[in-house]
Amino acid sequence: MWNPSKKTRTIAIKILIALFSLTMIFHVAALLQLIPFQFLWGGRLSSLEEMYVMETVSLLVNGFFLWSSFRYLYYINQGLVPVWIRIVFGFIGIIFLLNTIGNLVAITNLETLLATPVTAFLTGICFSLVPKYEN
């Protein structure tokens, strides 16, 4: 079984930290209506109120992903990645896998063409952090 090195995992987690941070900025921009809600959530939102609910949930979930990424970085620097954080990244990987499938059937071409490769990439990174880390 493939067991990424500490360096590979550190690079992967730093990529996640950068992407989750950028994603949170995107969701804040959506909440501030800098991005029309018709382009969000695969073009399936029908009102501003619905957008506020969905984007708030997205912001909270991405905040959890960012916090988890910082925890993983802390643990990898300590030389031991506990099972619970690896399970969290398995769960996050499943979320991104499902999101990738959702992006493929999005109504808006922008989401299909832009978000699908990003979420597929995030799926791979998250799953690469799941195997047991052996120092």
Side-chain angles (χ1 to χ4, degrees):
M1 177 177 215
W2 182 57
N3 191 359
S5 67
K6 179 178 179 178
K7 183 178 181 179
T8 301
R9 289 174 192 250
T10 301
I11 291 168
I13 207 68
K14 287 181 179 179
I15 290 170
L16 287 179
I17 288 169
L19 290 175
F20 291 147
S21 297
L22 290 172
T23 302
M24 290 183 73
I25 292 168
F26 174 83
H27 288 299
V28 169
L31 284 168
L32 295 173
Q33 298 181 37
L34 299 174
I35 302 165
F37 75 87
Q38 294 86 353
F39 295 112
L40 305 170
W41 289 91
R44 289 181 166 75
L45 296 178
S46 58
S47 68
L48 275 176
E49 292 77 19
E50 191 176 12
M51 181 273 296
Y52 284 126
V53 170
M54 298 303 285
E55 287 302 314
T56 300
V57 169
S58 293
L59 194 57
L60 292 172
V61 168
N62 275 279
F64 172 74
F65 292 169
L66 185 61
W67 174 83
S68 299
S69 298
F70 279 115
R71 295 305 308 158
Y72 196 103
L73 185 61
Y74 169 79
Y75 288 126
I76 198 78
N77 286 330
Q78 299 300 314
L80 175 65
V81 180
V83 172
W84 74 268
I85 195 76
R86 293 187 293 118
I87 291 170
V88 167
F89 276 92
F91 177 72
I92 294 170
I94 290 168
I95 290 171
F96 279 116
L97 178 62
L98 294 173
N99 191 251
T100 301
I101 294 166
N103 289 335
L104 288 171
V105 297
I107 294 170
T108 61
N109 287 334
L110 178 67
E111 188 144 0
T112 300
L113 297 174
L114 185 64
T116 301
V118 173
T119 57
F121 178 68
L122 289 169
T123 300
I125 289 179
C126 289
F127 285 144
S128 76
L129 298 172
V130 173
K132 183 177 180 182
Y133 174 69
E134 296 174 2
N135 199 5

